[in-house]
């Protein structure tokens, strides 16, 4: 794994130009995000993969059923308990009210985007695996969401103090097994602006990894995402299949990044949001 940047071949948002930049902008606008997830950045590095995948997936969001499925997946998680910290507790580790708001906004962005992407990519996975799609779900109006707020910027590992980079690597292993241990997910790099948050992340979630409850929640999300993705796959675009080489590369990317990065972070993000103090605590 490289010492900085993404752990797989990718095109960063800052480096994107031309069609890739246009596709990134369309993905952000359609999903209501301020950033594109690692899997999109990885697909952009495969010739033809980003265009085919987005042309295939975008009709899901026009159909609207994917929003219901993503919300149901997120809300239906059976998560182990974590304490809810006070605003004073976060302030005691150097995270003031404004920083708490940025952290909450960043987590909320992942909390919205990851389930949407998971269901969508699982629908694409179903097509690539030749599963017969069910009937196209009835068109549903997409929920109205507030405009996305700015999230914490990703930091590269070589931009961090050595002890912070080490904490990023440590929390990255929470929820990781097998190939996932080789993937540096993005969220810890967002949170590296606040080393105290990385410590709280580790303290609250490492015991849940160790006792297996977090891993069970991740397995349940993966299974639920695949079921829900297949359920909406009839709403995918009529793009057919890409050429064999491109299809294989897309499938390999999905089989790695969907369960090992995106899906495993859905319970993690939900738990970290529960860990944060109520927004009203900072108004006192």
């Amino acid at each position: 794994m490289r010492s900085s940047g993404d752990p797989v071949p990718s095109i960063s948002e800052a480096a994107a130009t031309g069609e890739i930049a246009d596709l990134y902008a369309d993905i952000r606008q359609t999903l209501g995000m301020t950033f594109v997830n690692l899997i999109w950045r990885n697909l952009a590095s495969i010739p033809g993969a980003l265009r085919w995948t987005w042309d295939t997936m975008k009709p899901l969001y026009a159909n609207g059923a994917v929003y219901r499925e993503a919300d149901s997946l997120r809300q239906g998680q059976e998560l182990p308990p974590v304490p809810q910290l006070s605003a004073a507790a976060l302030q005691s580790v150097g995270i003031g009210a404004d920083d708490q708001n940025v952290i909450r906004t960043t987590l909320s962005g992942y909390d919205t985007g990851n389930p949407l992407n998971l269901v969508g990519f699982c629908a694409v996975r179903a097509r690539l695996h030749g599963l017969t799609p069910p009937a196209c779900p009835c068109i549903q109006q997409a929920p109205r969401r507030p405009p996305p707020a700015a999230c914490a910027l990703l930091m590269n590992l070589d931009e961090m103090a050595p002890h912070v980079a080490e904490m990023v690597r440590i929390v990255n292993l929470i929820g990781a097994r097998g190939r996932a241990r080789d993937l540096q997910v993005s969220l810890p790099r967002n949170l590296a602006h606040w080393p105290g948050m990385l410590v709280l992340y580790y303290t609250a979630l490492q015991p849940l990894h160790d006792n297996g409850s977090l891993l069970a929640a991740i397995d349940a999300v993966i299974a639920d995402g695949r079921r829900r993705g297949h359920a909406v796959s009839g709403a995918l675009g009529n793009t057919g299949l890409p050429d064999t080489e491109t299809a294989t590369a897309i499938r390999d990317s999905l089989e790695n990044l969907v369960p090992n990065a995106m899906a495993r972070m859905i319970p993690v993000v939900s738990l970290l949001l529960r860990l944060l103090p109520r927004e009203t605590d900072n108004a006192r």
Side-chain angles (χ1 to χ4, degrees):
M1 186 174 70
R2 293 190 293 271
S3 61
S4 64
D6 291 333
V8 291
S10 66
I11 297 178
S12 71
E13 294 180 75
T17 59
E19 181 184 56
I20 299 298
D22 291 342
L23 288 168
Y24 280 176
D26 196 22
I27 292 167
R28 287 192 298 266
Q29 181 177 8
T30 301
L31 298 182
M33 302 284 290
T34 60
F35 58 90
V36 294
N37 293 70
L38 172 61
I39 192 167
W40 292 115
R41 303 195 300 269
N42 175 236
L43 290 171
S45 71
I46 303 168
L50 184 65
R51 166 59 70 187
W52 179 85
T53 305
W54 182 236
D55 285 350
T56 302
M57 279 179 63
K58 187 175 180 180
L60 285 177
Y61 304 105
N63 171 273
V66 67
Y67 292 96
R68 178 196 63 204
E69 297 295 343
D71 286 345
S72 295
L73 180 146
R74 180 178 56 252
Q75 294 164 6
Q77 295 178 88
E78 295 186 5
L79 298 172
V82 291
Q84 184 175 48
L85 301 177
S86 67
L90 269 73
Q91 290 166 358
S92 297
V93 294
I95 304 173
D98 290 343
D99 289 336
Q100 290 175 39
N101 289 334
V102 176
I103 291 170
R104 182 178 287 104
T105 297
T106 301
L107 291 171
S108 296
Y110 283 106
D111 196 48
T112 297
N114 277 343
L116 273 175
N117 278 316
L118 175 62
V119 175
F121 279 114
C122 284
V124 173
R125 177 185 181 273
R127 173 173 289 184
L128 290 172
H129 280 272
L131 300 182
T132 302
C136 181
C138 296
I139 294 176
Q140 301 176 29
Q141 185 173 0
R144 291 189 175 183
R145 303 184 190 274
C151 297
L153 296 176
L154 282 172
M155 292 183 69
N156 289 338
L157 294 174
D158 59 6
E159 297 173 321
M160 305 171 196
H163 67 282
V164 176
E166 181 62 19
M167 278 304 304
V168 165
R169 294 187 183 97
I170 288 171
V171 299
N172 181 66
L173 297 178
I174 296 175
R177 292 164 289 182
R179 293 178 70 187
R181 294 178 62 85
D182 297 325
L183 286 173
Q184 175 63 61
V185 294
S186 298
L187 177 62
R189 293 168 53 202
N190 295 111
L191 298 180
H193 297 278
W194 306 279
M197 187 65 201
L198 295 174
V199 174
L200 296 174
Y201 182 160
Y202 175 81
T203 302
L205 271 61
Q206 183 64 48
L208 307 181
H209 174 105
D210 293 340
N211 68 23
S213 59
L214 176 58
L215 303 179
I218 292 168
D219 288 341
V221 163
I222 293 170
D224 198 27
R226 288 177 177 172
R227 180 181 64 81
R228 294 180 186 278
H230 182 244
V232 300
S233 61
L236 290 170
N238 296 319
T239 53
L241 291 174
D243 64 81
T244 301
E245 182 178 356
T246 303
T248 299
I250 294 171
R251 187 164 52 244
D252 289 347
S253 176
L254 267 57
E255 295 294 349
N256 183 21
L257 296 180
V258 170
N260 293 324
M262 184 184 302
R264 78 169 162 108
M265 292 306 292
I266 290 175
V268 167
V269 168
S270 294
L271 289 167
L272 290 175
L273 280 168
R274 294 184 181 189
L275 191 68
L276 294 181
R278 293 184 297 272
E279 292 184 70
T280 54
D281 286 358
N282 283 313
R284 294 175 183 173

